[in-house]
Amino acid sequence: MTQAQIQEKANIPARIEEPGQRNWRDYFSFNTDHKVIAIQYLVTTFIFYCIGGVMADLVRTELRTPEVDFVTPEVYNSLFTLHATIMIFLWIVPAGAGFANFLIPLMIGAKDMAFPRLNAVAFWIIPPAGILLIASLVVGDAPDAGWTSYPPLSLVTGQVGEAIWIISVLLLGTSSILGALNFLVTMLKMRAPGLGFLQLPLFCWAMLATSALALISTPVLAAGLILLSFDLLAGTTFFNPTGGGDPVVYQHMFWFYSHPAVYIMILPFFGVISEVIPVHSRKPIFGYKAIAYSSLAISFLGLIVWAHHMFTSGIPGWLRMFFMITTMIIAVPTGIKIFSWLGTMWGGKIHLRTAMLFAMGFVGIFVIGGISGVMLAAVPFDIHVHDTYFVVAHLHYVLFGGSVLGIYAAFYHWFPKMTGRMLNEFWGRVHFALTIVGLNLAFMPMHKLGMLGMNRRVAQYDPAFTFLNEICTYGAYLLAVSTFPFIINVIWSWMYGPKAGDNPWKALTLEWMTSSPPAIENFETVPVLVTGPYDYGLENLRQEPDLQDPDPNKSMGPSSVLRADPDEPYPSIANK
């Protein structure tokens, strides 16, 4: 709670100021306000998401029939290369950075990020990198070696397109490094007085783990891509086998980043789910410390599992066994989170608003992706389905069913705080239903396609696979349709939606204790920590209101208990 709200509770007069208003031009300029930068991130990345989605539907249209009858094989290769690159580097990773930009300073009671100008630079690297990548389609030499860009294939395809791909990914990696550095310093050095690590919201713990992982792994990818560019443009032979180079070394460098990248994409939204579920279940988070420390465990273990992508590359058997074991072990901290979320919902007053629906969908769909991930960790099974559509199904259940559903849960949960307006719940539920049905139609049949032996990354296939591919294609079309209710809902609600009030969900984390949208410097005075972020229903709080039909213009009152000990963890079910 802010000092002004405590004064109001005690009937002490306080000077009230209107929150600073932003002009629409601010969102198209080099602005250092973390909230403006967050909106810039989210809008820009969603535009790239739509572009990448169009490419996915073009790929699926080609795969609807076994013949090459929609686009040429060369265009097909470029489309799936750009689709994967856009979805990873221009959508999920920067979308997580967008929410982190908005939430971290508010959650820790800071006025802004530690390095505001660096924060703006990190964003403004992204649009030119994305435009450059997409422009490669226009120049007629788009990259077509897949998003992994393995040599020697990437050295014998279009030189211009491959060079554009390398430059774009290097720029986007630089943006990721700058953002991670900013997040870490902000959380380590700018927390409000009395806000210790064991009193941080779990989203902050998730971003601590994500930022550390990005800082360690991203430079390795950058080094690999620079060496690849030398092979491509200068004639060196770091990875070119014709000159004595070793292409497997590139695979090690690429996957040392690109498997941790899976956790860079999913950890922020683990944090999102840890924020959404307690609020909409009206119940303290189950296992606060376990969830917090499991994020750090995932960050550490994520650095020692990369070679499970290389079981068929000829690495020694003992090394395959090591990476099989570590890959299976990483399921343990992930499972801790799943059971903690279920424990939080168990016995709670669950309110099935759209944010909660997407959070519950996240848990269910991600479990399917996690189970297939454990299957792929086993060397014999991985060899059997390597480079088949089983891997494609696993990837999309983890990243679409995980990260994208997490992004939508975050949008619906924090949209009132970002804009001061409420989204329409009916159209939110329509969006959720279309997304879940389309997702399962598009990706569930791919498991069987992979088990039957259909290879990925090919435009032509055995006619025996036609029926399942038709189902996948129609599911992809439904996913495309599902975005329209969301886009219309966001635009209409932002302009004409009902006023949200400062705290429509009656949440307890600090970002809800300021105005909606927040003032330019977030808080009128230094915020004072009054209650834990997950103290729903505990005896030291007043009786919780019913949220079945909440009044969005009323805010949650402060607790009478002041927590000033930074080493005291927030209460959980166990110590209640």
Side-chain angles (χ1 to χ4, degrees):
M1 308 301 293
T2 65
Q3 188 65 40
Q5 288 170 308
I6 294 174
Q7 289 174 333
E8 181 183 358
K9 181 71 175 176
N11 296 320
I12 300 174
R15 182 169 58 89
I16 304 298
E17 296 180 356
E18 290 295 324
Q21 297 297 315
R22 285 293 182 187
N23 188 287
W24 65 269
R25 294 181 183 86
D26 293 331
Y27 296 94
F28 295 89
S29 65
F30 188 90
N31 196 293
T32 56
D33 185 347
H34 72 99
K35 299 177 292 298
V36 173
I37 294 172
I39 300 298
Q40 290 173 326
Y41 263 105
L42 295 175
V43 173
T44 302
T45 56
F46 189 81
I47 291 171
F48 284 122
Y49 169 58
C50 293
I51 295 171
V54 170
M55 294 179 180
D57 280 341
L58 293 176
V59 167
R60 285 310 322 171
T61 300
E62 172 57 54
L63 291 171
R64 190 177 68 86
T65 59
E67 297 81 19
V68 181
D69 54 5
F70 181 67
V71 295
T72 64
E74 293 76 18
V75 172
Y76 175 88
N77 290 341
S78 296
L79 285 173
F80 82 72
T81 299
L82 291 177
H83 159 70
T85 305
I86 288 170
M87 291 307 199
I88 292 170
F89 295 106
L90 287 165
W91 165 230
I92 299 177
V93 172
F99 284 111
N101 258 291
F102 187 86
L103 293 172
I104 286 175
L106 290 167
M107 283 182 163
I108 67 173
K111 291 184 176 182
D112 208 320
M113 299 292 290
F115 308 112
R117 289 185 178 87
L118 193 68
N119 198 22
V121 169
F123 165 73
W124 282 105
I125 291 174
I126 293 173
I131 292 170
L132 179 66
L133 186 66
I134 295 169
S136 63
L137 278 173
V138 179
V139 301
D141 193 15
D144 58 359
W147 80 278
T148 56
S149 200
Y150 277 0
L153 176 63
S154 57
L155 301 176
V156 298
T157 54
Q159 188 179 60
V160 174
E162 189 63 26
I164 289 174
W165 183 88
I166 291 173
I167 293 171
S168 296
V169 175
L170 284 174
L171 288 172
L172 294 168
T174 302
S175 171
S176 181
I177 291 172
L178 296 180
L181 178 66
N182 218 344
F183 298 146
L184 277 177
V185 175
T186 301
M187 287 184 283
L188 293 175
K189 295 296 185 181
M190 297 182 66
R191 302 188 308 279
L195 187 63
F197 280 106
L198 291 179
Q199 296 174 321
L200 284 176
L202 288 168
F203 179 81
C204 294
W205 278 95
M207 287 310 304
L208 280 170
T210 303
S211 300
L213 195 56
L215 283 178
I216 294 171
S217 62
T218 309
V220 178
L221 173 66
L225 292 181
I226 291 170
L227 295 178
L228 183 66
S229 69
F230 288 163
D231 282 6
L232 183 71
L233 303 175
T236 58
T237 56
F238 292 106
F239 308 128
N240 192 338
T242 61
D246 189 350
V248 175
V249 174
Y250 173 85
Q251 294 183 33
H252 281 289
M253 299 183 75
F254 178 85
W255 288 115
F256 186 82
Y257 165 80
S258 293
H259 191 81
V262 174
Y263 305 112
I264 292 171
M265 288 185 276
I266 199 67
L267 273 169
F269 304 106
F270 282 167
V272 165
I273 302 307
S274 296
E275 300 299 328
V276 172
I277 287 179
V279 173
H280 297 276
S281 298
R282 312 311 299 170
K283 190 178 170 190
I285 193 74
F286 183 89
Y288 171 88
K289 284 187 177 181
I291 296 177
Y293 295 153
S294 66
S295 294
L296 301 182
I298 290 172
S299 181
F300 170 72
L301 290 170
L303 293 168
I304 55 174
V305 300
W306 78 87
H308 77 248
H309 294 273
M310 301 169 57
F311 285 160
T312 61
S313 66
I315 61 175
W318 65 267
L319 196 59
R320 294 198 299 190
M321 292 302 101
F322 172 80
F323 283 103
M324 180 179 75
I325 293 169
T326 57
T327 305
M328 290 184 174
I329 289 175
I330 205 170
V332 175
T334 307
I336 288 172
K337 292 182 183 293
I338 298 293
F339 284 110
S340 294
W341 295 331
L342 294 176
T344 303
M345 288 186 282
W346 184 267
K349 284 179 64 176
I350 297 177
H351 303 283
L352 295 178
R353 293 179 168 272
T354 308
M356 186 63 172
L357 290 174
F358 273 104
M360 294 170 71
F362 174 104
V363 174
I365 299 297
F366 185 81
V367 166
I368 297 175
I371 291 172
S372 61
V374 173
M375 296 169 67
L376 288 168
V379 173
F381 185 82
D382 181 84
I383 292 174
H384 176 65
V385 299
H386 185 77
D387 261 345
T388 70
Y389 265 83
F390 190 94
V391 180
V392 179
H394 160 71
L395 175 72
H396 285 86
Y397 266 88
V398 169
L399 293 185
F400 196 105
S403 297
V404 177
L405 294 188
I407 290 172
Y408 283 140
F411 264 117
Y412 282 97
H413 186 68
W414 281 291
F415 185 87
K417 179 55 58 179
M418 292 179 177
T419 66
R421 305 277 183 171
M422 299 294 291
L423 283 166
N424 183 282
E425 281 293 319
F426 171 78
W427 288 110
R429 291 187 175 100
V430 170
H431 173 216
F432 170 75
L434 292 175
T435 302
I436 292 296
V437 174
L439 186 158
N440 285 287
L441 277 179
F443 305 125
M444 183 62 77
M446 292 182 184
H447 292 96
K448 186 172 183 179
L449 285 171
M451 294 293 287
L452 293 174
M454 180 176 172
N455 290 329
R456 60 177 174 168
R457 301 180 179 179
V458 290
Q460 193 171 13
Y461 57 85
D462 191 319
F465 303 139
T466 302
F467 176 68
L468 291 176
N469 273 289
E470 286 181 341
I471 296 175
C472 294
T473 301
Y474 297 139
Y477 292 161
L478 187 57
L479 278 179
V481 171
S482 73
T483 60
F484 288 103
F486 174 73
I487 294 171
I488 295 170
N489 194 0
V490 166
I491 294 174
W492 179 268
S493 299
W494 202 333
M495 297 172 62
Y496 306 111
K499 294 291 183 65
D502 293 345
N503 192 0
W505 310 131
K506 310 297 184 286
L508 300 178
T509 42
L510 278 179
E511 79 271 20
W512 298 103
M513 306 310 164
T514 184
S515 58
S516 297
I520 290 178
E521 292 192 345
N522 297 340
F523 299 96
E524 184 181 343
T525 60
V526 176
V528 177
L529 190 64
V530 174
T531 182
Y534 311 111
D535 284 353
Y536 304 103
L538 296 186
E539 290 84 348
N540 61 2
L541 288 181
R542 73 179 186 179
Q543 187 176 359
E544 291 290 341
D546 188 356
L547 286 194
Q548 293 292 354
D549 187 21
D551 182 351
N553 295 309
K554 294 180 181 178
S555 296
M556 180 70 177
S559 166
S560 60
V561 176
L562 175 66
R563 297 187 177 278
D565 182 1
D567 295 321
E568 179 187 356
Y570 286 124
S572 65
I573 294 296
N575 60 30
K576 175 182 173 182

